[in-house]
Amino acid sequence: MIIPSDMWMRILLFVLGAVGFGISFYIHKKKKIGKPLVCMVNFDCDGVVKSQYSKFLGIELEVIGMVYYAFMALLYLVLIFLATYLLPIWFLIFLVAAPFFAFLFSLYLLYVQIFLLKKGCSWCFFSSAVCILIFIVTIVIYF
C-alpha cells in the first residue's frame, strides 16, 4: 500500500506537535521545580524563561506552548485517520489560522529574545523552529 504524501505530512505534523510539547513541558518542569534551565549552547536560557517577558496575558509561555502543541499533535493524530474532505470549511480555515498566528507569535518571541532581552535560549529557539515548521508544512498541505 502506498501512503499519499499528505498523509506523511499529517504524520510529520503530529510528530512536530509532540516534539514541541516535549520542549515546552521540559521548560515548564524545570521552572516549577526551581532548577536552572541549562542551554545546549552557551546561551542564558534561565534568564530568558524567567524574564519579564515569560508570560503573556498572565499565562506562562511554556503553558501556552504545551496547550498549542498538544492540540496540534492530537488534532493531526485524528486527521491521520480521517479524510480531509469530511471536515467543514470553517475547520479547514482553523487548521491554517492556528499555525499562522502561532508562527507570528513565535516571530515576536524571537524578536524579544534577540532585541529586547539581548539573550538567547536554545530551547526557545528549538520551540520556535518547530512552530515555524508546523506553519510551513501546513501551508504545503493546504495551499
Side-chain angles (χ1 to χ4, degrees), residues 13 16-17 68-69 72 99 129-138:
L13 285 167
L16 287 171
Y68 170 71
Y69 289 126
M72 293 306 288
V130 169
C131 188
I132 292 166
L133 283 172
I134 288 173
F135 175 65
I136 291 169
V137 174
T138 300

Side-chain angles (χ1 to χ4, degrees), residues 68-85:
Y68 170 71
Y69 289 126
F71 178 76
M72 293 306 288
L74 292 173
L75 177 68
Y76 277 97
L77 181 62
V78 169
L79 288 177
I80 288 169
F81 302 102
L82 184 67
T84 307
Y85 65 85

Side-chain angles (χ1 to χ4, degrees), residues 55-61 64:
K55 291 185 179 182
F56 183 74
L57 300 175
I59 304 169
E60 294 175 336
L61 291 175
I64 294 171

Side-chain angles (χ1 to χ4, degrees), residues 18-94:
V19 168
F21 178 84
I23 294 169
S24 297
F25 181 78
Y26 177 75
I27 294 170
H28 182 70
K29 180 180 170 189
K30 287 290 188 174
K31 279 177 68 175
K32 286 302 168 196
I33 62 174
K35 297 262 182 169
L37 186 64
V38 179
C39 284
M40 291 172 263
V41 291
N42 199 18
F43 286 131
D44 183 11
C45 285
D46 215 45
V48 171
V49 300
K50 293 180 180 173
S51 75
Q52 67 187 27
Y53 298 99
S54 66
K55 291 185 179 182
F56 183 74
L57 300 175
I59 304 169
E60 294 175 336
L61 291 175
E62 67 274 9
V63 172
I64 294 171
M66 285 190 306
V67 169
Y68 170 71
Y69 289 126
F71 178 76
M72 293 306 288
L74 292 173
L75 177 68
Y76 277 97
L77 181 62
V78 169
L79 288 177
I80 288 169
F81 302 102
L82 184 67
T84 307
Y85 65 85
L86 297 173
L87 300 173
I89 189 70
W90 63 266
F91 194 79
L92 293 174
I93 292 169
F94 179 77

